[in-house]
Amino acid sequence: ITVKGRKVGYMYKEKPDNQTDSGWRFMAGDETEEYMNDPENMAIYDVNTIANYDQAILPLLDSPVGSAFIRNSSGVLVEDK
């Protein structure tokens, strides 16, 4: 997202790891398992930074732990059940 300026394709919220962690995890949505298994491809960003790349996440940020959203074929982030 931040490297290539992509939109968020998948986001989910888990229990935060610490007081500064929002619990949100963001991905472009097309990452391979090999890519995701390489720690060099992961980074910690302020949620505001991700929102600057993709404002579509803003109305979803108050969602509870366990929430997940995926970008559908129309380009809209929808709940991923």
Side-chain angles (χ1 to χ4, degrees):
I1 296 166
T2 58
V3 173
K4 295 184 179 180
R6 307 261 324 268
K7 298 288 184 190
V8 172
Y10 186 73
M11 59 188 279
Y12 66 94
K13 188 173 187 180
E14 59 185 25
K15 183 178 175 186
D17 292 332
N18 56 54
Q19 288 182 313
T20 60
D21 180 10
S22 70
W24 281 108
R25 309 299 182 246
F26 302 99
M27 285 139 281
D30 61 353
E31 295 87 351
T32 64
E33 186 174 343
E34 180 181 20
Y35 180 91
M36 294 299 290
N37 287 335
D38 183 350
E40 293 294 316
N41 294 324
M42 305 301 142
I44 298 172
Y45 290 93
D46 188 283
V47 172
N48 188 52
T49 300
I50 303 302
N52 285 331
Y53 282 87
D54 189 353
Q55 293 183 4
I57 71 168
L58 291 173
L60 308 173
L61 294 178
D62 286 332
S63 300
V65 169
S67 298
F69 300 90
I70 190 166
R71 194 170 297 273
N72 67 17
S73 59
S74 298
V76 177
L77 284 167
V78 296
E79 188 173 8
D80 184 24
K81 299 182 184 223

